[in-house]
Amino acid sequence: MDEIVVKYNWSAPYYTSYPPLREWTFNFKSENFENALMDLMNKNEPISFYFHFPFCRQKCLYCFCNSKITSDRREIKSFLRDIGTEIERFYEFFKKHSFKPVVKDIQIGGGSPSYMTDEEFKFLVDKIKLLVDPLELEEFAFEVDPRSIDSERIEFFKSFGVNRISLGVQDFDPYVQKAVNRIQPKELVETFFTPKVKSGLKGINIDLLYGLPLQSIDSFRKTVKTSISLSPERITLLKYAHTPEREICQRALEKYSFPDYIEKTRIFKEALDSFEEAGYVHVGINDFVKSDDELAIALKDKTLHRIFNGFSPGRAKNLIAIGPSSTSAFNGYYFQNVYLEDYNEQLSKTKFPILKGYKLSKDDLIRREVINLLLCERLINIKKIEEKYNIEFKEYFQDEIEKLKSFIADDLIEFSEEFIKITSLGKMFIPHISSKFDNFLINKEYKVSGP
Ligand code: SF4
């Protein structure tokens, strides 16, 4: 195992989008977004909405999210008026074209959405009601910072339709928590796992982060054990990306020791094995869900879908994101909104505050589908791709197939006339394998940077 880890000691993208955000261009404006929306409305396919609340009370030093620390409620209220304006723009646009969106899921993420007061949350949900009745959704997911509220308050959110909460935990180790400036004892997190809180929820997710300073295999083993003992419906285990050149707050972590690449991979492998032994199903790259969870069922039924925020059961393949810096994906387009500092100004100048965008070419669409199949199903049915895109797979991907040979030799994939299949060992290297189909990365292998 270690030999293979050393051999593939380079980082690969997680493909939250293909092509990745850095390839999107500034040529896309509000008018392009409106045209793309028109096409989407003509198709009348289900839509998921994401709403971004960017504020937090306190900075976690590992933070890589688009967030701002504030204790100024006037700033939050002013922001909520802005996001309310953006929601109204969608409402007016849909109304003008007599379009009623079919919405199955919504999510409020951040930042720390649970930092909103009752009044602020109600204001936001009242605006959301212009687009959809939250009580009629299949899923209304809400991110909760266990430090910002007590479990009683979950009842308030539930009364507005919230039926899934994600708890940011990251690590239960007190030394790691202190180092990253996120102190939340296990006893605090436990208060959210009561029958009362669980009642009426589809599930509780726990988010963990490995690769943080002071973590070791031994310390993280305890975090994994504690997480399993709480029995959340889903566990997301992400790798910490140390990019202090971009994220100023991470510079404060440089004084600590970090687990190296080999240790990080061992941490992930041991966590993966522990979650599977505990009955969780490994979905996609980083998600572990109970066997009766709709994501596990979608994995079996081959309807699993990759979205920006993770994986979805595939009810809606079009994502419209509202709020600063948020990213939409629909109908062969990607769009990103401007960041918080420009949000108010852009809303006063244009209908939709678009910063960047990308229109996928036929080649991008083929490669995105191949990469998503590897991420979601861990299997490419060659014939299906050939029929759908009218290509001869082995000819089209001649160079890429050549690059897969080392994965075949290392038993990470099986390659036949009909299928490319990721093996059990290969599950550790899904991003690496997928990256061979990435036209923006081909011939480049990124060495792991930082600790
Ligand atoms: S709560 Fe999340 S968004 Fe806020 S500072 Fe911490 S990691 Fe960043």
Side-chain angles (χ1 to χ4, degrees), residues 55-56 58-60 62-65 67 69 110-112 145 147 170 182:
F55 298 105
C56 301
Q58 192 180 325
K59 196 74 173 170
C60 312
Y62 57 80
C63 183
F64 44 83
C65 309
S67 63
I69 307 304
S112 295
D145 179 343
R147 298 167 303 166
Q170 323 314 344
R182 188 177 178 121

Side-chain angles (χ1 to χ4, degrees), residues 382-394:
I382 291 174
K383 208 171 179 46
K384 272 195 186 164
I385 294 290
E386 290 185 327
E387 282 171 5
K388 182 165 177 185
Y389 293 103
N390 196 22
I391 58 167
E392 215 283 285
F393 191 92
K394 287 183 187 152

Side-chain angles (χ1 to χ4, degrees), residues 396-420:
Y396 195 88
F397 288 119
Q398 205 176 348
D399 294 343
E400 289 79 355
I401 289 168
E402 193 55 38
K403 294 192 181 85
L404 292 178
K405 284 191 175 154
S406 82
F407 297 119
I408 300 169
D410 290 328
D411 196 26
L412 302 182
I413 55 172
E414 288 166 17
F415 197 166
S416 70
E417 283 299 309
E418 291 158 14
F419 297 104
I420 298 176

